[in-house]
Amino acid sequence: MTSTAWNRLSLNAAEGSLITAIRECMVRSPRQLNNAFEADAELLDLGAGGLLALTVDTLNDGAELATATTPYAKGWLTTTVSVSDLAAVAADPVAVLVSCSLRRDRWTLEDAREFGRGASEAAERYGCHVVGGDTNWANEESFTSCALGTLRRGSVLSRLGARPGDALYVTGPVGAGNAVGFRTLALGGTAARDPWLPEARVAAGDPLRRYARACIDTSDGLLSAAVSLAELNGLGVEVVMHDEVYAPIASAVAEAAHLPRWCSAAAEWGEFELLYAIDPADAERCSRAMSERGLQPAHVGQFVAGPELLLIDESGQRRDLRNLLPRMRAIDPAGSLLADLRALLTGGS
């Protein structure tokens, strides 16, 4: 859910219409601070109890789990997807609940132990714990996590607040999620020996609270995240992708598949970096604070007053995201992924 209106580019019409229908008969909480889709996590004012952030995410069997091919990696990813939403609102994680739907014919007790270990060790990495959940047998595998965190009054961060001329930064290298998913489904690779364990960028909380104007995570890909921020704020955006912005695995997979690197920023496996808008005057101070916390922030563009949604790729070519992103989304990741990507590139964008 990445937009205030279902017909925006950043949210497809089918998903948006369902969300709109679901919400039509819901009563809005008087405690809620954000409107629909304005923040990665829902924000509640508990009065004397402070501010609460909470979010829920589900990973379904198939393409959504292409980046996690071991039980441990699935547990790690299940915790991370929801904690990343807390990170995007600069909340401090408190607890995670995990719900599992498992197939009887696929899961052993050792698999379950490894899943639990992955989910728990990820939570510990983020300074919280898995405190419970639910487990069921099902015909299809899925994993859901609900994360809760606390916020400091006066420092609420959402997807709103970006202004024309703001710089667009990301907390670290991008493209890893798309590269791992593509390697698994299109190149026949496996991550069993070296699983991809992405990290929610909870460490960015203090710098974001001090300097960022708007923020979103990149779990749906960097380019979709940039478009979401632009549309929500009534702005245009120019995303500028230099070679050094990409994660090493994104560059390696792109080279092996003979694809441009920007493809790893355009699909929707994504990673869990945070994309944020910032006044250029504050950008250097924020980057230093990020670096002190072990992050590798990078400048990836700027917001503009006009309507353009542009990618300027590593070769300097300008690409219209209004055309490119829908075409990328139309590709079935479970189909002829490599051939379909090459056909899209041959047809231009």
Side-chain angles (χ1 to χ4, degrees):
M1 296 188 293
T2 55
S3 179
T4 53
W6 64 263
N7 61 342
R8 292 182 185 269
L9 177 61
S10 52
L11 188 70
N12 70 61
E15 180 184 359
S17 60
L18 287 174
I19 294 169
T20 299
I22 290 170
R23 294 186 60 85
E24 281 177 355
C25 296
M26 289 184 174
V27 178
R28 177 180 168 82
S29 168
R31 297 181 182 273
Q32 189 158 12
L33 299 178
N34 62 295
N35 289 314
F37 319 129
E38 287 182 355
D40 280 48
E42 310 306 325
L43 309 174
L44 302 181
D45 189 340
L46 303 183
L51 303 182
L52 176 69
L54 63 164
T55 185
V56 62
D57 274 286
T58 297
L59 298 166
N60 292 308
D61 195 15
E64 287 190 348
L65 287 167
T67 62
T69 58
T70 67
Y72 181 93
K74 290 174 182 178
W76 182 283
L77 185 63
T78 298
T79 294
T80 296
V81 292
S82 57
V83 173
S84 181
D85 287 339
L86 297 183
V89 297
D92 296 318
V94 173
V96 177
L97 296 167
V98 172
S99 176
C100 304
S101 294
L102 306 176
R103 291 184 52 166
R104 291 180 184 269
D105 59 343
R106 289 190 181 179
W107 280 74
T108 67
L109 290 178
E110 184 57 28
D111 289 337
R113 292 187 186 98
E114 282 297 289
F115 177 90
R117 187 169 69 89
S120 180
E121 290 185 0
E124 290 183 53
R125 174 72 174 169
Y126 309 136
C128 63
H129 295 85
V130 177
V131 297
D134 184 44
T135 304
N136 300 283
W137 295 121
N139 292 326
E140 292 188 358
E141 185 175 284
S142 69
F143 306 98
T144 298
S145 60
C146 175
L148 295 87
T150 56
L151 291 155
R152 304 175 191 179
R153 288 196 179 276
S155 61
V156 172
L157 181 65
S158 74
R159 296 172 180 173
L160 301 181
R163 305 173 189 174
D166 277 356
L168 188 63
Y169 272 74
V170 67
T171 51
V174 301
N178 282 315
V180 172
F182 180 84
R183 182 182 64 183
T184 301
L185 294 183
L187 302 183
T190 176
R193 294 183 179 179
D194 185 23
W196 181 58
L197 303 176
E199 288 197 20
R201 297 308 188 188
V202 174
D206 283 338
L208 290 175
R209 280 188 285 265
R210 274 186 280 163
Y211 299 112
R213 285 179 170 162
C215 186
I216 188 172
D217 86 350
T218 62
S219 57
D220 285 335
L222 176 82
L223 297 182
S224 288
V227 167
S228 292
L229 282 185
E231 290 184 328
L232 282 163
N233 288 280
L235 300 172
V237 68
E238 295 178 354
V239 182
V240 183
M241 300 295 289
H242 299 293
D243 288 340
E244 60 269 20
V245 171
Y246 297 100
I249 189 173
S251 298
V253 168
E255 183 176 353
H258 305 290
L259 293 171
R261 295 180 193 180
W262 62 258
C263 288
S264 66
E268 295 191 342
W269 280 297
E271 54 284 307
F272 297 93
E273 299 299 336
L274 301 178
L275 189 69
Y276 58 96
I278 189 168
D279 185 330
D282 293 327
E284 186 176 347
R285 287 190 293 272
C286 185
S287 292
R288 284 201 302 268
M290 294 272 188
S291 298
E292 290 168 0
R293 289 159 175 79
L295 303 174
Q296 303 173 55
H299 183 210
V300 290
Q302 52 278 324
F303 290 102
V304 297
E308 59 265 32
L309 302 172
L310 294 177
L311 163 66
I312 303 172
D313 68 23
E314 57 270 26
S315 70
Q317 184 172 348
R318 299 166 71 88
R319 300 176 182 273
D320 181 2
L321 293 176
R322 284 191 176 87
N323 179 25
L324 176 62
L325 287 181
R327 295 175 65 197
M328 291 290 292
R329 290 175 183 149
I331 295 175
D332 182 1
S336 303
L337 184 53
L338 180 56
D340 289 344
L341 268 175
R342 287 177 174 162
L344 182 151
L345 295 173
T346 302
S349 59

